[in-house]
Amino acid sequence: MRPPRITRLIKYPVHARPLVTRRYLSKLPSREATLAKFVFPSATHCVRDIRDETTEAVTLHGHLHKKPRVQAKRTFAELRDVNGDTIQILLSPESTSSKFFSLIEKSGPEDSVSVTGHIKKKQAKIGAKGVEFEVVVSHLQTLNSAGVEAARLDKLKHASPADIPAKYRYLQLRTPFYQNALKTRSKVANLIRNTLIEKHNFTEIETPLLFKSTPEGAREFLVPTRSPSRLYALPQSPQQYKQILMSSGFSRYFQLAKCFRDEDLRADRQPEFTQVDLEMSFVNTRDQVTAVVDDIIQKVWKETSSFGMYQLGSDGHLHEILKGESDSVPFTKLTYMEALARFGIDKPDLRSNLQFVDISEFFEPGKNPKEFPVVEACVLKNAFKNTEPFKIPHSLTDSASYSKRKPVVIKISSVEDAEKWFEKFCEKGLMIPKSGFTAAKLLQKLGLGPGDVLAFSTRAELPYENPTPLGKFRQLAIEEFPGKWNRPIAKSDGTFVDDYKKSEIFVGLWVVDFPLFSPVELDAEPNAEFPVYSTGDLLATHHPFTMAKSEDYEMLESSPLKVRGEHYDLVINGVEVGGGSRRIHDPELQQYVFENILKIKNHEALFGHLLKALLMGCSPHAGLALGFDRLCAMLIGSQSIRDVIAFPKNQSGSDPVVDSPTDVPDATLREYHLQKAVK
């Protein structure tokens, strides 16, 4: 006996309701209605192909961009095709059967449709530029309805696609902004591949995603297996595999590599991300690597960005790298110490002309002068009009704006303030004037005047605070006073421009000669004013495979903290876009670093595979990794890499579309020798 038909509705709480009410159906859907969605004419045109009126039928595919406007004699709708271009479609009794009128009246935004008809010119509006066309419909077919929820979200799409809830990412991705974002990403990937393969003779090689757990700086994602106590780790980078490849006879390797880090998430971080990873053998200078990267970056900007790429000239001005130039131009190089002394951070935004003034010749710090002997100042010239009331922005003085220490920030309202601002700080013992100090010389060096804001702080001679207190102040000031203190752009006619939108200017910079090692920062005592470091416990500033500068080699044994590394970071507009180094290809030196400097007791278990590869005549090599997601976000003018990733994770590390990560049944956990933690 055939069981009765049962249609059971699932009850969902309001906050968790799906797009449509789910039903379990015991009856196969209608053959005619279902198969009609799978049989439709092929597209003959895209919207951008339409250049003139036609009498012949054309077919377009896409989604309804807006809710149809139904009128007495005719109905208008708007079609958005696969390129994101839109065109008006017109249904009238003369050209369309009542069947299609009925169909379009039931349609809603985001329905998937196929439209056939002829093209005619629209009646031009007064003041309209160019000719617009519309499709006079003879056949319309709904290939899939979008449902009530999509119609409800339609208004958000037109206001800001980011306002569409993240769980409906596929609706966000239909909007022009995200379509452009992912198509730009695809174009950039192809440009990089073609440049590396065709111009620089690189070979693209994939390395494994199931790796082993090794200390490389960030927390790893571990992958359990069914063998007790044996786990894989997802790679933080292909660093060790690519160095092993340099011992494999491949002189130039690259890949667009997936990497994984279990870190706190920000706008420019994701638990999984993509980097352009490359390595080159028989390299004896960093310029061999940076020249390749300069070429990649400048080619990408020339072919995918409408904005200019600039470099810092020796005259202190910005100079545009012209799109007509066939060869790349080397980006300016700045040492780590120059960057920290002038800008207070190892990734300075060079669009701003704000720099620091060392006033250590005038003052000795009143607190911790041995560890933090440098006194420096930053002047915000003409920050306010002295004739109007002014209050220093809260962000510049709020302790919450600074990770640890904050600078002293002063408003200069009068000539007397400019001449005597330091007196009260000397009275409080914050600064001690040095012999020979004169207020006139200090005033001349700072160039202070009414309407300025002055900030000052101390730092170590070799700063491990990054940014320094004044470096963070500079970042905050740039945000608080947009457009002020722009670094001038030098034009070809000898003139200078400083009135420009910073979002349209990109400045490349190499920061080099980083400290090879850094001391471990100790947990500070409550209310401690200064960070405290353990100079007996050292960490690799970047990773333990970086080579020391040859002129500092002997200090590896005597003073490793003074050793500079052959590391180089690419910085664009204050964002670290990539980093790399010359590697240690000598196995004995690499072992010495593991054992005697970093004191890694189990280095053979962790890195034995790499040491063996180095022992087999591994060639000298160097490389770099570019943050591909960050690069693409810059090209579309976004601050968030989520905008250029199809299905990004949210702030909690979850994918709202598929609701991952998920709980796993206890029985499955037992197979992998795991059990749930007891709360």
Side-chain angles (χ1 to χ4, degrees):
M1 181 177 177
R2 186 175 180 179
R5 194 179 96 184
I6 300 174
T7 302
R8 179 157 59 90
L9 297 181
I10 305 174
K11 300 293 186 181
Y12 288 89
V14 172
H15 68 276
R17 280 181 185 160
L19 275 170
V20 293
T21 303
R22 294 280 307 278
R23 292 184 298 172
Y24 290 113
L25 300 175
S26 61
K27 184 178 179 181
L28 185 69
S30 163
R31 172 188 172 85
E32 181 181 5
T34 302
L35 295 186
K37 299 177 182 180
F38 293 84
V39 180
F40 54 91
S42 298
T44 60
H45 292 71
C46 292
V47 172
R48 62 184 58 173
D49 299 330
I50 295 171
R51 297 288 184 269
D52 207 346
E53 292 185 329
T54 65
T55 55
E56 296 180 0
V58 300
T59 298
L60 302 173
H61 294 163
H63 293 86
L64 291 182
H65 191 55
K66 296 179 181 178
K67 182 176 176 61
R69 305 190 305 278
V70 180
Q71 298 180 357
K73 293 186 177 180
R74 56 184 184 174
T75 294
F76 297 94
E78 196 169 330
L79 174 81
R80 185 184 69 249
D81 71 3
V82 293
N83 296 312
D85 300 321
T86 59
I87 190 170
Q88 181 171 283
I89 60 176
L90 170 66
L91 293 91
S92 63
E94 294 80 19
S95 61
T96 316
S97 70
S98 58
K99 170 186 174 183
F100 297 136
F101 264 97
S102 174
L103 186 62
I104 199 69
E105 286 175 358
K106 296 176 182 177
S107 299
E110 299 307 316
D111 282 4
S112 178
V113 296
S114 172
V115 171
T116 300
H118 67 273
I119 307 299
K120 77 167 190 175
K121 292 179 182 178
K122 286 178 63 177
Q123 186 174 353
K125 296 179 180 178
I126 297 175
K129 294 181 180 180
V131 179
E132 291 189 25
F133 300 94
E134 62 185 359
V135 182
V136 181
V137 176
S138 58
H139 180 83
L140 182 143
Q141 187 174 354
T142 299
L143 305 178
N144 209 4
S145 297
V148 175
E149 194 76 11
R152 191 183 306 156
L153 297 171
D154 184 56
K155 59 183 179 181
L156 298 178
K157 172 184 69 180
H158 300 292
S160 170
D163 291 336
I164 298 173
K167 64 181 179 179
Y168 303 135
R169 179 68 170 180
Y170 32 84
L171 293 182
Q172 290 181 351
L173 294 179
R174 292 182 189 178
T175 61
F177 174 81
Y178 287 107
Q179 289 278 311
N180 174 66
L182 293 187
K183 287 177 181 178
T184 298
R185 182 186 178 103
S186 174
K187 184 175 181 180
V188 172
N190 282 325
L191 274 171
I192 291 174
R193 278 194 170 96
N194 292 339
T195 302
L196 288 173
I197 294 171
E198 296 174 9
K199 184 175 181 180
H200 297 287
N201 199 30
F202 278 75
T203 302
E204 185 171 9
I205 302 174
E206 295 179 352
T207 55
L209 290 182
L210 293 176
F211 187 46
K212 65 186 292 186
S213 180
T214 61
E216 290 189 32
R219 287 191 299 270
E220 302 166 312
F221 285 101
L222 299 177
V223 182
T225 71
R226 288 177 292 169
S227 299
S229 302
R230 295 178 65 83
L231 295 90
Y232 293 108
L234 299 179
Q236 298 180 38
S237 78
Q239 179 65 41
Q240 295 178 58
Y241 276 123
K242 69 178 179 178
Q243 287 194 243
I244 292 171
L245 280 171
M246 295 300 99
S247 191
S248 305
F250 292 96
S251 62
R252 295 194 168 197
Y253 138 93
F254 88 98
Q255 71 172 314
L256 268 67
K258 275 289 186 184
C259 304
F260 306 85
R261 295 179 187 175
D262 190 5
E263 298 179 307
D264 296 333
L265 303 184
R266 301 196 299 252
D268 62 347
R269 279 186 182 173
Q270 284 279 292
E272 58 178 311
F273 57 95
T274 304
Q275 64 185 37
V276 181
D277 199 60
L278 59 89
E279 199 78 8
M280 303 165 61
S281 65
F282 297 103
V283 170
N284 54 19
T285 70
R286 68 186 174 213
D287 291 349
Q288 292 169 274
V289 178
T290 60
V292 171
V293 178
D294 289 343
D295 193 32
I296 291 171
I297 296 296
Q298 292 171 30
K299 185 174 183 64
V300 164
W301 244 264
K302 288 174 183 177
E303 299 199 21
T304 65
S305 176
S306 59
F307 303 132
M309 176 61 74
Y310 295 75
Q311 65 162 338
L312 177 65
S314 58
D315 57 3
H317 304 312
L318 299 181
H319 295 260
E320 185 171 11
I321 299 170
L322 300 177
K323 294 193 174 184
E325 296 178 12
S326 57
D327 295 327
S328 59
V329 177
F331 286 131
T332 304
K333 293 181 176 65
L334 201 66
T335 69
Y336 174 87
M337 275 310 305
E338 287 175 320
L340 268 292
R342 291 167 60 181
F343 309 109
I345 194 169
D346 64 357
K347 41 182 177 290
D349 184 348
L350 295 184
R351 294 172 299 176
S352 174
N353 208 16
L354 281 179
Q355 295 189 194
F356 304 158
V357 180
D358 189 337
I359 54 175
S360 302
E361 63 183 283
F362 301 103
F363 302 105
E364 180 179 312
K367 295 183 178 181
N368 210 351
K370 183 178 179 181
E371 300 295 333
F372 297 84
V374 179
V375 184
E376 56 189 5
C378 181
V379 179
L380 307 183
K381 290 296 297 179
N382 302 315
F384 63 97
K385 293 181 179 179
N386 197 40
T387 56
E388 300 175 0
F390 173 78
K391 186 176 181 181
I392 295 174
H394 181 65
S395 68
L396 302 184
T397 58
D398 185 14
S399 298
S401 299
Y402 300 86
S403 58
K404 294 181 180 66
R405 299 192 297 146
K406 69 174 184 177
V408 177
V409 185
I410 312 160
K411 178 174 66 172
I412 306 299
S413 299
S414 64
V415 173
E416 184 179 13
D417 288 344
E419 295 174 342
K420 300 181 178 181
W421 63 269
F422 55 87
E423 291 182 351
K424 61 181 178 180
F425 300 107
C426 292
E427 290 172 4
K428 293 179 180 179
L430 288 179
M431 297 189 298
I432 302 170
K434 290 184 176 180
S435 61
F437 166 81
T438 66
K441 288 183 179 179
L442 176 63
L443 179 63
Q444 182 181 16
K445 187 161 189 178
L446 291 176
L448 280 179
D452 296 346
V453 170
L454 169 72
F456 74 91
S457 182
T458 61
R459 66 166 170 83
E461 288 184 342
L462 177 58
Y464 297 113
E465 293 176 287
N466 190 2
T468 63
L470 218 54
K472 183 61 178 179
F473 170 83
R474 179 181 185 270
Q475 289 181 307
L476 296 168
I478 291 171
E479 293 175 5
E480 285 287 351
F481 298 91
K484 271 189 174 290
W485 315 298
N486 283 355
R487 187 181 296 274
I489 294 174
K491 308 294 286 187
S492 57
D493 59 4
T495 60
F496 300 93
V497 176
D498 59 10
D499 183 17
Y500 54 80
K501 291 183 179 179
K502 285 187 176 179
S503 60
E504 298 178 357
I505 303 295
F506 292 87
V507 186
L509 168 73
W510 287 105
V511 179
V512 301
D513 296 352
F514 286 79
L516 186 57
F517 305 106
S518 302
V520 173
E521 184 174 354
L522 302 176
D523 292 334
E525 297 291 331
N527 303 318
E529 291 187 50
F530 295 87
V532 179
Y533 302 97
S534 171
T535 55
D537 298 311
L538 303 186
L539 300 171
T541 301
H542 291 94
H543 58 57
F545 319 117
T546 301
M547 180 56 187
K549 288 186 73 69
S550 57
E551 52 265 46
D552 296 346
Y553 184 81
E554 284 75 15
M555 289 191 290
L556 285 169
E557 187 173 30
S558 59
S559 304
L561 279 176
K562 295 181 180 179
V563 178
R564 295 165 296 166
E566 289 271 21
H567 184 93
Y568 35 82
D569 274 0
L570 177 63
V571 177
I572 300 177
N573 290 3
V575 177
E576 179 194 331
V577 175
S581 67
R582 289 185 70 193
R583 323 300 189 188
I584 300 173
H585 72 280
D586 180 272
E588 291 184 3
L589 176 58
Q590 184 66 82
Q591 186 171 340
Y592 180 87
V593 170
F594 288 154
E595 291 179 349
N596 297 75
I597 299 178
L598 299 178
K599 299 176 182 177
I600 302 174
K601 295 180 179 179
N602 59 336
H603 68 81
E604 185 63 37
L606 294 173
F607 303 112
H609 53 275
L610 178 60
L611 291 172
K612 288 175 185 176
L614 297 180
L615 277 166
M616 299 293 181
C618 182
S619 58
H621 55 281
L624 176 136
L626 290 170
F628 184 64
D629 308 300
R630 290 183 184 180
L631 193 63
C632 293
M634 281 185 174
L635 288 165
I636 67 164
S638 173
Q639 300 294 316
S640 175
I641 64 172
R642 295 189 188 104
D643 288 337
V644 292
I645 297 174
F647 299 102
K649 305 294 188 290
N650 61 21
Q651 284 292 98
S652 63
S654 300
D655 183 337
V657 175
V658 301
D659 195 26
S660 69
T662 59
D663 287 333
V664 176
D666 290 342
T668 304
L669 290 176
R670 285 194 293 272
E671 286 188 55
Y672 293 92
H673 309 281
L674 300 172
Q675 63 182 18
K676 294 178 181 177
V678 179
K679 294 183 180 179

